[in-house]
Amino acid sequence: MAPYRRYLDTQQRKIYEKWENRQTHNQPINKKIDKQPLISIIVPTYNTPVKYLRDMIKSVEGQSYDNWELIIVDDASPNDDVKHEIRKIAKNNTKIKPFFLKTNRHIAGATNYGINKANGEYIGLLDHDDMLHKDALLLVVNKINELPGVKFIYTDEVKLDEKGRQYQPFFKPDWNIDFLRSINYITHFAIIQRDSLIELGGEDGVYNGTQDWELFLRATRTLKSSQIAHIPKILYYWRVHNNSTAGNLDAKPYVIGAQKKALTDDIKKRHMEAEVVRDSLYGAQWCMRYSSPSQQDVTVNNILFSRDDSVGNVLSRETSDVIIFSNSSVDYSGDYSLLGDIFREDIGAVIPRIYDESQVVGNLKSILDEKIVKFIQELSRRSFTKHIYLTSKYNLKDVCSSVLFIERKKLSLIDESTKITSRSLTKALCDKDLRTLYNPYMTTKEEK
C-alpha cells in the first residue's frame, strides 16, 4: 500500500499547492499593536537532525514580530553534533537561550525546564524538527490585543514532507470540546499564558508521548471558552519523517497507552461517566461512550420533518424519551450504549452517521469558513482534514441533516412555535447553548 499512499499524497499536495497559490496573502496587520508581550518559544531537542534544527531556528529568527526568545533545552542528546550546532547558532543571537540537561528528562520534563527558564508572558510550544510561518507570532500578538482576556491560542497547520513540500493541511474549528476528546485537533501551534501554565503545573511526565494533548485537556477544564482563541490560518509546518508521530503513530507505540490514560483521567476530573474506546479502524482516534439508560429503560420514536409541524405539537402528542426526526421513516439499528450523548446536559441534537460525504463536509459551514469547506470538498479521504471530519465526533451549530436524535425534554426548552426542520431545531437548541454533535458511530436504517 505504501506506493499507492505516496501517490495519493502527491495528488493531494498538488491540489493543495494549486489552492494555496490562489489565496491572497495581504499583510496580516495594518494597525499599531498596543500590547507587545515577550513570547517565549520552548523547544526540547533530542538527537535532532541538524538540517531540521537549522530550519526550525531559522523560522523563528525570521519572524515578523520581534519580541521573542527561543529557549532550546537539549534533553541529554547522545549526538554531540546537535549540541555543537545549538551552541554555534546561539553565539550569534542573544535571543536564543540554550540549556543542556545532563540526564534525560523526556519531553515533558525538558519542556517544563524550559518553561521555568522563560521570561515571556506567553509560552509557545514548538517541536524541534518543525517550522513556523513568518507571521505566526505577529498574528498571535494581534489576537492577544483583540481579546485581552485570552489565555490559550492555537492555529491551523500543514505537514511538510522530507523535501520541505507542504501537503495535508488541517483546517481547524474554533474551540470544540467533543473534537478534542476524539483526537488532539489542537496540536500545533499552541500558545498559553505563562501564569496559567505555571498554575497548571506545566506538562505531566506521566503522559509522555501525549503530554501536549493531556495539557490541553487539563487547561480547558479550567478556562472559559472566551479565553480560548483560534487563528484560522496555517501558521505551523509539521515535519513528517520516519521517526515522527506525524508520519506514523506506530513509531511511538507507547503513545496509545498515554492517550487512553489522558482521556480517561480527563473524563473523571470532569465528573462525567464514559468509557474511552479506541477507534477500531483509525488508531489515533477515540470515541467516548457516555453512560445512558439501558435499552429496556429508554423509549425511542420516529417523527418526520415537516414545516407544517411545530415543537409544541410534538410535545403535546409525543411521550418517548428520545425522538428521531428524519426525512423518511427510520429505525435506530445500533448499540444503545452509543446513545449516551443524547442525554448529556450540554448536547441538544445528535446527528448519526451520514453516508453522503458531501453533506457531512457541507455541514462544516457552521464551524468553518465557506471557502475552506469548498476546498475540503475537493480533497480525497486520504487527506487528513477531510478524513477526520468524516470519521470522528465533533460539535456543530445549526445544520441541515436528514436525521436528528433529540431528547424530548430538551425540546421543552425551546420556543413551541419552532418548526420541525433540522435547521430550525438545531438553531433553537444552539441558541440555548446546547451544541449539535456529529456522531459517526451511531447508525440508522430506513424502515421497509
Side-chain angles (χ1 to χ4, degrees), residues 197-210:
L197 194 52
I198 295 296
E199 189 175 337
L200 285 166
E203 296 197 328
D204 190 334
V206 171
Y207 305 93
N208 266 320
T210 195

Side-chain angles (χ1 to χ4, degrees), residues 158-211:
V158 68
K159 289 186 176 68
L160 283 183
D161 66 15
E162 292 182 338
K163 295 182 179 180
R165 297 173 299 189
Q166 298 180 36
Y167 75 115
Q168 296 281 21
F170 183 20
F171 301 103
K172 307 171 188 178
D174 290 347
W175 169 233
N176 198 302
I177 181 57
D178 279 290
F179 207 12
L180 189 60
R181 291 177 189 150
S182 299
I183 193 167
N184 181 12
Y185 83 90
I186 291 176
T187 53
H188 313 294
F189 179 44
I191 304 91
I192 305 176
Q193 186 188 52
R194 186 177 186 276
D195 288 349
S196 297
L197 194 52
I198 295 296
E199 189 175 337
L200 285 166
E203 296 197 328
D204 190 334
V206 171
Y207 305 93
N208 266 320
T210 195
Q211 67 286 333

Side-chain angles (χ1 to χ4, degrees), residues 394-443:
Y394 50 88
N395 304 119
L396 293 162
K397 296 179 183 177
D398 54 304
V399 295
C400 287
S401 175
S402 57
V403 184
L404 292 179
F405 284 68
I406 301 177
E407 186 182 10
R408 182 189 181 278
K409 72 176 185 180
K410 305 279 179 58
L411 293 175
S412 64
L413 301 176
I414 63 179
D415 194 307
E416 290 190 353
S417 66
T418 303
K419 299 301 182 184
I420 304 302
T421 68
S422 61
R423 179 77 69 185
S424 297
L425 290 169
T426 52
K427 183 181 187 308
L429 290 165
C430 286
D431 287 346
K432 294 293 183 180
D433 293 326
L434 295 171
R435 297 187 298 275
T436 305
L437 176 73
Y438 180 59
N439 184 350
Y441 300 98
M442 287 175 57
T443 59

Side-chain angles (χ1 to χ4, degrees), residues 22-261:
R22 293 198 306 263
Q23 306 311 302
T24 302
H25 298 286
N26 297 321
Q27 288 295 323
I29 306 297
N30 294 313
K31 60 183 179 181
K32 183 177 181 295
I33 300 175
D34 294 325
K35 185 177 182 180
Q36 300 186 28
L38 175 66
I39 308 290
S40 297
I41 300 174
I42 311 298
V43 180
T45 60
Y46 184 82
N47 282 355
T48 311
V50 171
K51 179 186 183 308
Y52 297 161
L53 179 69
R54 289 171 180 161
D55 287 347
M56 178 274 294
I57 294 174
K58 186 177 179 181
S59 78
V60 176
E61 290 183 314
Q63 288 298 298
S64 55
Y65 179 78
D66 195 48
N67 194 17
W68 55 265
E69 64 176 2
L70 175 60
I71 309 292
I72 300 178
V73 182
D74 185 78
D75 197 16
S77 292
N79 186 348
D80 288 335
D81 289 345
V82 176
K83 300 173 187 176
H84 174 73
E85 187 68 22
I86 292 171
R87 289 190 177 100
K88 184 175 73 172
I89 294 175
K91 270 187 178 180
N92 298 321
N93 193 333
T94 58
K95 295 164 73 171
I96 300 175
K97 301 174 182 179
F99 298 90
F100 300 92
L101 303 182
K102 294 182 179 180
T103 58
N104 184 269
R105 302 191 185 189
H106 300 289
I107 191 166
T111 300
N112 288 340
Y113 186 92
I115 292 169
N116 289 331
K117 295 295 184 180
N119 299 300
E121 186 179 345
Y122 289 85
I123 303 291
L125 303 178
L126 174 61
D127 281 358
H128 62 164
D129 48 5
D130 297 340
M131 297 170 62
L132 293 177
H133 184 282
K134 67 180 180 64
D135 293 323
L137 297 185
L138 182 62
L139 287 167
V140 165
V141 172
N142 185 57
K143 184 64 67 174
I144 291 169
N145 278 265
E146 287 179 356
L147 304 171
V150 71
K151 296 185 177 182
F152 184 12
I153 302 168
Y154 62 95
T155 76
D156 293 350
E157 66 193 51
V158 68
K159 289 186 176 68
L160 283 183
D161 66 15
E162 292 182 338
K163 295 182 179 180
R165 297 173 299 189
Q166 298 180 36
Y167 75 115
Q168 296 281 21
F170 183 20
F171 301 103
K172 307 171 188 178
D174 290 347
W175 169 233
N176 198 302
I177 181 57
D178 279 290
F179 207 12
L180 189 60
R181 291 177 189 150
S182 299
I183 193 167
N184 181 12
Y185 83 90
I186 291 176
T187 53
H188 313 294
F189 179 44
I191 304 91
I192 305 176
Q193 186 188 52
R194 186 177 186 276
D195 288 349
S196 297
L197 194 52
I198 295 296
E199 189 175 337
L200 285 166
E203 296 197 328
D204 190 334
V206 171
Y207 305 93
N208 266 320
T210 195
Q211 67 286 333
D212 289 346
W213 194 357
E214 189 280 331
L215 174 63
F216 302 156
L217 289 165
R218 182 158 32 103
T220 55
R221 288 201 297 267
T222 59
L223 295 177
K224 300 175 182 177
S225 59
S226 60
Q227 296 173 315
I228 306 169
H230 164 229
I231 300 173
K233 291 183 180 295
I234 290 176
L235 301 178
Y236 193 94
Y237 306 107
W238 190 0
R239 180 95 60 176
V240 178
H241 53 87
N242 289 336
N243 294 321
S244 69
T245 307
N248 180 13
L249 188 64
D250 293 332
K252 300 178 180 179
Y254 61 91
V255 170
I256 299 301
Q259 288 180 350
K260 184 167 186 178
K261 178 173 173 56

Side-chain angles (χ1 to χ4, degrees), residues 262-276:
L263 290 164
T264 301
D265 291 350
D266 179 65
I267 287 293
K268 289 179 181 177
K269 292 290 176 61
R270 294 180 192 269
H271 305 291
M272 303 175 76
E273 293 185 18
E275 180 186 5
V276 179

